[in-house]
Amino acid sequence: MSAHPATAPDGAASRRRLAALFWRFRALRIGSLLAGPVGWLGIVYLGSLAVLLVTAFWTLNEFSGTIVKGFSFNNFKTIVQEPVYRKIVLRTVSIAALVTVTDIVLAFPIAFFMARVASARVKGALIVAVLMPLWASYLVKVYAWRTMFANQGILNWLLDPFGMHVPSSGYIRVWIVMAYLWLPYMVLPLYAGLERIPDSLLDASGDLGARPWRTLRSVVVPLALPAIVAGSIFTFSLTLGDYITPQLVSSTQFIGNVVYANVGIANNLPLASAFATVPILIMLVYLLIARRLGAFEAL
Amino acid sequence: MRVSGPARWLLRIGSAITLSFLYAPLLVVAIYAFNDKRVQTWPLTGLSLKWFSKALNNPGVRDALLTSLKVGLAATAIALVLGTLAAYAVARFDFFGKTTVSFLVILPIALPGIVTGMALNATFTQIIKTDLALWTIVVGHATFCIVVVFNNVVARLRRTPASLEDAAGDLGATGLRGFVDITFPQVRSALIAGALLAFALSFDEVIVTTFTAGPTETLPIWILNNLSRPRNLPIVNVVAVCVIVLSIIPVYIAQRLSSDPIGVGARGPGD
Amino acid sequence: MKRYIITAVAAALAVLGIAACGSSNSGSSSSSAAFKVPNLPIVNTVGKGEGALNIVVWAGYAEDGSTDKTVNWVTPFEKDSGCQVNAKTANTSDEMVTLMRTGRYDGVSASGNASVRLIAGGDVSPIDTKILTNWADIDQNVKNQPYNSVNGQMYGAPHGYGANLLLWRTDKVKTAPDSWGVVFDPASPYKGKVTAYDDPIYIADAALYLSKTQPALKITNPYELDQKQFDASVALLKKQRPIIGEYWSDYTKMQAAVTQGDTVLGTTWQVIANLLKADKVPIRTVLPKEGSTGWSDTWMMSSKAKHPNCMVKWMNWITSPKVNAQVAEWFGEAPANNKACAQTADKNHCATFHQGDTAFLNQVKFWSTPVSNCRDSRGNTCVDYSRWVQAWTDIKG
């Protein structure tokens, strides 16, 4: 409601009318706010995903290998029928889950320490310390691990006196490296979530007779669950589609490797797109579950 | 909640383990940046500073660094605008499809990078039929950077009461004026934190970039291409070390600027 | 939320419908005997250089001094022609085909398992040999071959050829091997430290081995395998999988792995062996008694080349005697130009690499794209390349 008299200059008057219009029609306000982001995400992102889905139905000319823009379920048939693709999907999902659980375990102590025990200065320093590795190049970190895993590398040098050896299994190596890479993505949301828990609830739990471990189990963890799930979205999704880490530290194939090998190397975009629908579906399901658990408020 | 003495020590040890795990490989990178040989054997045969001068004189590095900075700034700018708009809508209003918007915003970063990259590539090359250039990289990066800004701003807006904006409205401020004078100063640090995180994401992104870059080389693409070249591998280590050391500055600034820790709202009394 | 999903699905279906309507031919040449070659204008003139050149190359084919200060034939070319060279290294023929299909490059050093696909796909242009200044000196054995020409029409300038070799670390592998059997032995003492080339074309290596060790399969051409021969080869590779430590396609990965002792035995290229020897890693190579797969490369120009004149200049540069000798010695292959043999630093180079040796060329099975047409009495029953690719995913597991 404009309360100013008509002494306002002309430009201001029309602006005021426009503002009044926006104030009166709530939908206009919301719409103008959302037009940009939703338009961008809808057209640019969803549109591209739709294109990807379309290419999954194309095929390849057998001889020249050029793309044929027809409509065929061949690629999906291949993925469903050939057992190797199922094996790879299971392997990838299992390692994504393993990495997520590992990161939760590794992140909890430091997140809890930062949220509830550390002084303000230490807390600030720790946040910086956890964020810093994110600024180190992903590729260089993975290559550093590759060097560390080498037969005559640092890790064997450290482990040999104890009679131990660097794991030769590609799966285990990928697990270690991925757990390492995504750890900060789990620490930060978890820290945020733990910080949000009001002191009053924890005091109340103590007043009701719970020892600290019981409070942790029954009060802290359930309240931090949305944050845990939020962090897990990143660790799970990043592990699900990565092909560079498996390539650099192992010879094991994961979903990302098969997709990349088909699109970037074998020039079989249709098959790659068809196989790419699998992680899309997996993540959509995961996101729906995560939303149900309240993760979206805890990101 | 009082954490007992022994528990504190356990937490300290746990945190130390996690931090060592985080920094060990970075230490390895730093060590090999001073390697005197080309090949990364262990133990090192000697130390040398020669790779630092080689890195400074390498035109590929300089160009790639500049490209990455350009892409990062552009993508962050777009993400700031779009992310803030969406965050404001979601935090201040209740409307049909509100959860859908949150869902949509998080999708680019929740779906694997290879999916996003392939999708954008297929659109650019098969449908729009355009050449891959700097702007196609920016489009890809901006898309997944939106969520980072969105999260930070939404979290902050949820902590700041809307009553201040209403009061401004009562005093005659239009929506825009209210935003500039009232909301913006409150979310400013969240914007900076979001912008820094978005920039970091864009600066280091390689998978989506591989599919949308064409012949343009961002720094991660340059690194990827040069991990394969034995002569340039040590330069890669040097570049990585420099980036880490230099990035202490923006991260520290962001931490100091935000009264709340990065990415989260502060605990209020009896929240 | 539900309404949103429904509209999204509807939109997707609409797009699908549009895409389906606008489809072109669907696999027209899948059963033809000889492949249909797209009608492209023959390149027969060379004009002024355009100032730039973008090429896709095998690692080591376009050295500009950055790997080794003394190894450089790109900078002299740039000075001579005014064409600034931008070389993109590809690790496999598949990658090369993919890159060429983007239309962003002017030319490629195509091996036999890429060249035919590129010709059939209309990605490379036919060349009139009169503009190839070194044509007369090119060895007969690589002129007008099935992998670089169609009906007598050349599609590029021959570069050189070589064989894949067996490499081992002399300090870790006690007895010097002479047969591919050592990498196919499931009970190998070097389990976990064996390597193989990461490309579906490696199935031909298994087929080649079987052609000598299981003559009952009657394998004559390792790229033209009928179902039974193909299955046997795939089975052999699945038996090999447990002893493989790492597959390599990026040659520096293999170089690093051998240097660090992670790999002690496996398939290699001469150029990798040369680099290892220069770093004083104790290795030796051999061409095993069963023979080997190999490559014969041809420089081809993209049909969408933006710098065609520079590309022709490059083709003439790289096939000139001195430069051809330089590349051949650096990479470890036989030069296509007969006159290059007099220019090599090692006078025995051409003899070592069997330049012009027709008998040797019969022992080396050059990479070629497997197609369904067996080109013999078996008709169209051979396994085509797309199935090789799928089988490779299956083999790696």
Side-chain angles (χ1 to χ4, degrees):
Chain A
M1 273 146 356
S2 62
H4 283 249
T7 50
D10 260 351
S14 54
R15 253 184 296 137
R16 213 154 269 295
R17 265 197 290 275
L18 193 64
L21 198 70
F22 271 81
W23 188 89
R24 206 160 292 148
F25 297 107
R26 199 166 150 274
L28 201 60
R29 253 184 310 179
I30 302 177
S32 60
L33 281 173
L34 289 177
V38 174
W40 177 286
L41 289 169
I43 299 173
V44 171
Y45 193 65
L46 290 181
S48 305
L49 284 182
V51 170
L52 189 70
L53 190 60
V54 166
T55 61
F57 292 99
W58 293 349
T59 49
L60 227 53
N61 173 308
E62 270 185 358
F63 189 89
S64 64
T66 45
I67 293 181
V68 174
K69 296 183 185 180
F71 185 89
S72 145
F73 283 100
N74 276 348
N75 297 315
F76 291 102
K77 270 196 234 156
T78 310
I79 296 175
V80 168
Q81 286 168 357
E82 298 283 332
V84 68
Y85 295 104
R86 254 173 290 152
K87 190 162 69 153
I88 292 177
V89 171
L90 277 170
R91 181 190 295 152
T92 314
V93 171
S94 75
I95 205 176
L98 204 56
V99 167
T100 302
V101 169
T102 311
D103 275 345
I104 293 174
V105 169
L106 283 173
F108 205 88
I110 193 171
F112 193 87
F113 184 74
M114 277 160 62
R116 311 214 74 99
V117 179
S119 66
R121 245 192 28 210
V122 174
K123 190 193 313 220
L126 281 178
I127 294 177
V128 172
V130 170
L131 273 179
M132 286 304 304
L134 285 181
W135 279 85
S137 162
Y138 157 86
L139 288 167
V140 177
K141 286 188 284 197
V142 179
Y143 204 84
W145 272 104
R146 180 188 161 84
T147 309
M148 293 199 296
F149 280 140
N151 208 15
Q152 291 158 359
I154 289 186
L155 285 179
N156 270 341
W157 181 76
L158 285 170
L159 292 172
D160 271 344
F162 302 97
M164 296 199 290
H165 215 67
V166 163
S168 56
S169 154
Y171 186 91
I172 296 184
R173 289 188 186 189
V174 173
W175 169 40
I176 294 175
V177 178
M178 298 259 202
Y180 166 80
L181 287 169
W182 319 135
L183 189 51
Y185 290 112
M186 179 64 85
V187 173
L188 293 172
L190 191 54
Y191 154 73
L194 286 170
E195 246 225 338
R196 270 198 283 269
I197 301 177
D199 259 337
S200 50
L201 284 179
L202 303 174
D203 290 340
S205 166
D207 291 340
L208 286 170
R211 319 291 280 334
W213 272 110
R214 181 75 199 276
T215 309
L216 192 74
R217 237 180 40 223
S218 308
V219 182
V220 176
V221 171
L223 284 175
L225 191 64
I228 295 178
V229 178
S232 75
I233 295 178
F234 291 112
T235 57
F236 196 84
S237 145
L238 288 167
T239 310
L240 203 64
D242 200 332
Y243 61 90
I244 295 186
T245 303
Q247 237 172 32
L248 281 178
V249 303
S250 80
S251 260
T252 321
Q253 292 190 111
F254 295 89
I255 292 180
N257 298 101
V258 173
V259 172
Y260 183 72
N262 274 302
V263 69
I265 299 174
N267 198 36
N268 194 343
L269 173 66
L271 184 62
S273 306
F275 200 49
T277 57
V278 176
I280 295 179
L281 282 170
I282 296 177
M283 279 317 297
L284 281 179
V285 171
Y286 198 98
L287 283 174
L288 285 172
I289 298 176
R291 186 168 66 103
R292 193 54 71 81
L293 290 172
F296 282 24
E297 280 76 47
L299 277 166
Chain B
M1 172 174 165
R2 225 149 291 125
V3 182
S4 64
R8 270 174 196 262
W9 275 108
L10 272 176
L11 285 174
R12 284 206 181 94
I13 294 173
S15 307
I17 293 176
T18 305
L19 276 179
S20 330
F21 185 51
L22 273 179
Y23 279 89
L26 299 183
L27 211 61
V28 171
V29 173
I31 291 175
Y32 279 116
F34 295 97
N35 191 5
D36 73 339
K37 275 223 320 257
R38 243 178 16 203
V39 192
Q40 294 187 171
T41 53
W42 182 264
L44 292 177
T45 48
L47 297 174
S48 157
L49 280 175
K50 63 181 174 190
W51 305 116
F52 282 85
S53 66
K54 283 200 203 279
L56 274 172
N57 294 325
N58 189 314
V61 179
R62 288 202 302 265
D63 291 338
L65 190 59
L66 204 63
T67 309
S68 274
L69 285 173
K70 279 193 259 185
V71 168
L73 287 171
T76 305
I78 298 177
L80 271 177
V81 171
L82 296 179
T84 311
L85 288 172
Y88 197 80
V90 165
R92 286 285 182 256
F93 300 99
D94 262 317
F95 52 91
F96 173 76
K98 182 161 146 175
T99 39
T100 310
V101 174
S102 316
F103 200 84
L104 192 57
V105 168
I106 201 184
L107 214 53
I109 213 172
L111 292 185
I114 194 169
V115 168
T116 308
M118 272 175 61
L120 289 172
N121 178 298
T123 312
F124 288 133
T125 57
Q126 308 275 356
I127 305 294
I128 306 182
K129 292 221 197 337
T130 175
D131 269 336
L132 299 174
L134 199 75
W135 72 272
T136 53
I137 309 178
V138 173
V139 167
H141 285 210
T143 309
F144 60 73
C145 283
I146 292 177
V147 66
V148 175
V149 176
F150 176 81
N151 283 338
N152 275 296
V153 179
V154 158
R156 177 59 61 80
L157 281 176
R158 287 209 178 109
R159 302 258 158 258
T160 61
S163 50
L164 285 174
E165 289 149 16
D166 289 342
D170 290 341
L171 290 170
T174 60
L176 190 61
R177 182 86 191 273
F179 179 81
V180 171
D181 284 345
I182 306 295
T183 322
F184 182 71
Q186 289 179 311
V187 300
R188 186 178 48 206
S189 49
L191 285 177
I192 296 176
L196 272 169
L197 216 53
F199 188 83
L201 260 180
S202 159
F203 198 71
D204 190 34
E205 213 287 325
V206 65
I207 295 185
V208 174
T209 319
T210 310
F211 286 94
T212 54
T216 322
E217 267 191 347
T218 57
L219 194 61
I221 300 280
W222 181 88
I223 294 178
L224 189 62
N225 290 336
N226 282 281
L227 278 179
S228 321
R229 300 204 196 138
R231 202 168 181 78
N232 286 345
L233 177 58
I235 300 183
V236 172
N237 286 328
V238 167
V239 170
V241 169
C242 291
V243 169
I244 298 173
V245 169
L246 284 173
S247 60
I248 296 181
I249 304 170
V251 173
Y252 179 73
I253 292 177
Q255 171 54 20
R256 295 288 282 164
L257 272 182
S258 40
S259 48
D260 304 329
I262 293 177
V264 76
R267 229 178 335 143
D271 212 323
Chain C
M1 186 73 184
K2 228 195 300 180
R3 215 203 296 175
Y4 178 73
I5 294 181
I6 293 174
T7 33
V9 171
L13 283 174
V15 181
L16 271 173
I18 297 172
C21 289
S23 67
S24 51
N25 68 335
S26 39
S28 55
S29 52
S30 52
S31 57
S32 53
F35 56 87
K36 227 173 36 190
V37 180
N39 219 339
L40 290 166
I42 302 174
V43 176
N44 54 15
T45 55
V46 191
K48 223 171 70 129
E50 297 90 352
L53 179 66
N54 299 316
I55 44 178
V56 179
V57 301
W58 288 108
Y61 273 28
E63 290 300 312
D64 60 356
S66 53
T67 315
D68 183 326
K69 265 200 293 267
T70 59
V71 181
N72 187 353
W73 50 84
V74 166
T75 315
F77 169 75
E78 289 174 332
K79 284 207 197 76
D80 185 74
S81 65
C83 303
Q84 281 306 111
V85 175
N86 178 14
K88 167 109 181 111
T89 307
N91 293 327
T92 65
S93 290
D94 284 344
E95 270 183 56
M96 290 190 167
V97 173
T98 306
L99 287 169
M100 287 304 284
R101 293 238 160 100
T102 62
R104 265 190 274 126
Y105 296 93
D106 303 305
V108 60
S109 58
S111 300
N113 57 340
S115 52
V116 173
R117 278 187 281 162
L118 290 171
I119 296 175
D123 303 299
V124 293
S125 298
I127 310 274
D128 189 337
T129 55
K130 74 170 192 252
I131 61 172
L132 297 175
T133 51
N134 299 298
W135 179 251
D137 302 320
I138 301 283
D139 184 53
Q140 276 306 114
N141 287 306
V142 293
K143 278 182 182 172
N144 291 315
Q145 292 299 307
Y147 53 78
N148 60 15
S149 66
V150 178
N151 297 330
Q153 171 61 50
M154 277 297 292
Y155 274 77
H159 167 95
Y161 53 87
N164 292 315
L165 303 168
L166 177 60
L167 170 143
W168 71 95
R169 273 192 70 139
T170 50
D171 56 344
K172 310 272 176 157
V173 178
K174 291 310 157 197
T175 26
D178 68 344
S179 156
W180 286 113
V182 293
V183 302
F184 291 119
D185 175 14
S188 168
Y190 312 105
K191 180 171 166 156
K193 300 216 168 86
V194 180
T195 191
Y197 188 50
D198 191 350
D199 189 291
I201 209 73
Y202 188 72
I203 297 176
D205 286 63
L208 179 67
Y209 180 71
L210 288 176
S211 71
K212 299 287 181 339
T213 56
Q214 284 185 31
L217 285 171
K218 298 212 202 68
I219 297 177
T220 49
N221 184 333
Y223 304 99
E224 285 156 14
L225 303 171
D226 58 38
Q227 196 61 50
K228 200 164 122 219
Q229 299 166 335
F230 185 72
D231 291 338
S233 308
V234 171
L236 180 64
L237 288 171
K238 285 191 176 164
K239 274 216 325 246
Q240 180 198 48
R241 178 67 180 94
I243 69 167
I244 297 284
E246 194 182 55
Y247 290 95
W248 68 273
S249 62
D250 177 340
Y251 83 102
T252 57
K253 253 177 90 176
M254 192 200 179
Q255 187 189 352
V258 175
T259 308
Q260 285 162 339
D262 289 312
T263 296
V264 300
L265 182 65
T267 308
T268 193
W269 295 337
Q270 185 63 48
V271 67
I272 301 175
N274 292 344
L275 289 168
L276 286 167
K277 284 200 196 117
D279 276 338
K280 307 229 182 351
V281 181
I283 52 115
R284 268 186 60 195
T285 58
V286 74
L287 182 74
K289 60 186 187 206
E290 297 90 2
S292 183
T293 53
W295 66 88
S296 177
D297 294 343
T298 312
W299 288 98
M300 298 189 159
M301 178 181 344
S302 166
S303 53
K304 303 196 194 77
K306 298 199 179 68
H307 313 101
N309 294 327
C310 277
M311 187 60 207
V312 177
K313 286 180 193 287
W314 172 261
M315 288 203 263
N316 289 329
W317 175 263
I318 198 102
T319 52
S320 60
K322 189 156 151 292
V323 182
N324 210 213
Q326 273 183 297
V327 193
E329 284 211 270
W330 174 250
F331 195 80
E333 54 185 1
N337 191 329
N338 292 322
K339 294 214 172 110
C341 291
Q343 303 275 352
T344 53
D346 169 13
K347 287 307 152 204
N348 289 325
H349 180 91
C350 280
T352 314
F353 288 92
H354 303 276
Q355 203 270 354
D357 183 344
T358 318
F360 168 81
L361 286 165
N362 290 334
Q363 240 207 335
V364 176
K365 305 292 178 191
F366 290 144
W367 286 340
S368 156
T369 305
V371 296
S372 44
N373 178 10
C374 299
R375 286 191 259 251
D376 58 29
S377 57
R378 293 171 297 173
N380 275 351
T381 56
C382 280
V383 180
D384 74 88
Y385 189 64
S386 61
R387 302 245 305 282
W388 283 51
V389 177
Q390 281 173 24
W392 189 246
T393 306
D394 201 7
I395 290 166
K396 287 208 290 184

